[in-house]
Amino acid sequence: MSEHKIHDLTRRIMLAMAGGALLGVALNLLFGAEGLLRDYLIDGLLYVVGAVFVAALKMLVVPLVFVSLVSGVTSLGNLSALGRMSIKAILLYLFTTAVAVSIALSLATAVGPGQGFDVGSVDVAFQGKQAPPLAEVFINMVPTNPVAALSEGNMLQIIVFSLLFGVAISLAGERGRHVLSLFSDLDAVIMRMVEIIMRLAPYGVFALIARTFATQGLDLIVPLLAYFLTLTFALGLHALITYPMLLRFLAGLHPLRFLRKMRDPATFAFSTASSGATIPVTMRTVEEKMGVDNSVASFTVPLGATLNMDGTAMMQGVATVFIANVYGVDLSLTQYLMVVLTATLASIGTAAVPGVGLVMLTMVLNQVGLPVEGIALIIGVDRLLDMLRTACNVTGDCAVTCIIAKGEGALDQACFDDPNAGSVEKVKDEQSADVMPGKD
Ligand code: ASP
């Protein structure tokens, strides 16, 4: 099959994204945000199609993580490999986050967004949300009721329960093998469900992006242009330079091949603004397109979606400098270091909190003594930046996953190097060949 056809779905998703953005901007400029069009098209059709698509993705997250992690851990075979992998994953996730905040702070200090900003133009009322104390996060990682953890989608609790369940299957000998074969079959079935949902992606992505641009407009960005551009540039730098360099130097992997294969998860992350909802696509990409073994991906991807938020941490860095500039506060070197430390640790501390970006920012601002109301200044452009930083977060999850897989001997290099590996079209062709062995 030609490469052209192989990438058909990815191309259609990208086109849908561009088309959605154009339609959204046109709706916003031509018709404003009022009237019948808003009720029936923007808050009607586009809203429903987008929300159904996100719900369908989220529907797969819990069964996929549970089933895939159980079968992944069981096939790891020994506990020391699991321990080593967990330590490597957590350290790498923290390291990339610390690098991310440092890049963001350096750029923001150089550009100086927020200098001369007129605070009077914005209503500065903002109620900060509290993050739970770190001790609580550790205690809450162990579910008192695993069924409740699954039904609430509490990712850290699901990870802990699945790890224990998988280890127990390994220890249960012959009986455990029956359970394992059930779980690995289920894993294959759920992966096919992911492919079905991916085929609907062009419609879902189109609706999500069109609605966002129709409701947001671009006029809010103008007074915040320096903030917006500094953060966008920082995110681009981290996604396109830091990760590729880490892949090259820590794992000897070809950065461009990696970036090309990132198109699907990055587009899903951008349009849904949720690393969690993107887990099915992230998992599918690293396993089937990049050749990472399920024993690594099933653990590092959900963990990364929960703990690793480099893009979000970069937002903390740029926003802190912006708010300090607006309020005329000079940050000392110690305060900069506090920002790096707090933003890095906050990504663990806020793991189970929805709307994580702003909770983390509240923590960072409190830590360096800046007014939390400053968040109100940037909230108007936060949706668009959330989309961008989520794409960066997911790129980080995939990069760290590949690096760990390579170190553990769990990366299929041929698959990583094959530009057509794992495309939905190719999988479909292979499946029809399986069903009809005589067909060529
Ligand atoms: N939306 C981001 C994510 O899901 C988190 C955030 O920045 O709020 O990765």
Side-chain angles (χ1 to χ4, degrees), residues 21-74:
L22 279 180
L23 176 72
V25 172
L27 285 174
N28 189 280
L29 291 179
L30 296 177
F31 304 102
E34 301 294 318
L36 274 185
L37 201 71
R38 174 164 197 123
D39 294 346
Y40 289 104
L41 185 61
I42 301 173
D43 287 342
L45 188 66
L46 293 176
Y47 170 65
V48 173
V49 174
V52 166
F53 174 64
V54 175
L57 276 173
K58 287 188 174 161
M59 166 178 81
L60 298 182
V61 173
V62 170
L64 177 64
V65 171
F66 178 49
V67 166
S68 157
L69 194 48
V70 169
S71 64
V73 172
T74 316

Side-chain angles (χ1 to χ4, degrees), residues 105-361:
L105 280 175
S106 318
L107 264 174
T109 327
V111 175
Q115 278 157 2
F117 184 86
D118 174 17
V119 191
S121 62
V122 190
D123 178 15
V124 278
F126 182 81
Q127 196 62 42
K129 270 201 235 163
Q130 285 300 312
L134 203 52
E136 285 292 308
V137 176
F138 285 112
I139 296 169
N140 285 337
M141 276 167 68
V142 183
T144 49
N145 178 351
V147 178
L150 289 167
S151 76
E152 285 158 10
N154 185 322
M155 205 43 75
L156 287 182
Q157 294 192 347
I158 296 174
I159 292 176
V160 168
F161 180 70
S162 314
L163 288 178
L164 195 60
F165 197 77
V167 170
I169 289 180
S170 306
L171 298 176
E174 189 53 40
R175 290 177 163 182
R177 265 191 281 283
H178 298 305
V179 185
L180 171 61
S181 100
L182 172 69
F183 269 82
S184 49
D185 288 350
L186 276 175
D187 189 32
V189 172
I190 295 175
M191 273 298 180
R192 300 291 87 87
M193 289 176 78
V194 175
E195 273 149 30
I196 298 174
I197 304 291
M198 282 184 75
R199 285 169 191 281
L200 302 176
Y203 308 100
V205 166
F206 180 84
L208 283 173
I209 299 280
R211 179 161 189 270
T212 306
F213 280 83
T215 40
Q216 286 279 313
L218 298 177
D219 46 334
L220 280 175
I221 295 179
V222 177
L224 292 163
L225 204 60
Y227 166 72
F228 191 91
L229 291 182
T230 310
L231 182 51
T232 306
F233 186 70
L235 290 170
L237 209 63
H238 196 55
L240 302 176
I241 308 282
T242 314
Y243 296 136
M245 274 177 41
L246 290 176
L247 281 162
R248 166 61 91 206
F249 295 118
L250 295 183
L253 292 170
H254 198 299
L256 282 181
R257 272 179 215 141
F258 170 82
L259 288 177
R260 242 178 251 130
K261 292 179 183 221
M262 273 311 299
R263 281 183 297 195
D264 282 344
T267 319
F268 275 69
F270 180 77
S271 36
T272 59
S274 162
S275 312
T278 311
I279 287 177
V281 183
T282 315
M283 200 101 105
R284 188 182 177 282
T285 304
V286 290
E287 287 186 11
E288 298 192 5
K289 291 193 169 187
M290 299 180 180
V292 175
D293 194 76
N294 175 253
S295 56
V296 173
S298 62
F299 174 64
T300 53
V301 168
L303 189 73
T306 322
L307 296 189
N308 181 50
M309 284 165 223
D310 293 359
T312 309
M314 294 187 110
M315 182 273 270
Q316 326 294 312
V318 180
T320 307
V321 174
F322 174 80
I323 292 168
N325 282 340
V326 170
Y327 287 99
V329 177
D330 268 335
L331 294 174
S332 65
L333 185 63
T334 327
Q335 280 172 309
Y336 281 117
L337 291 177
M338 281 312 281
V339 175
V340 176
L341 197 69
T342 320
T344 308
L345 293 181
S347 58
I348 295 187
T350 51
V353 185
V356 105
L358 295 180
V359 182
M360 276 168 74
L361 185 53

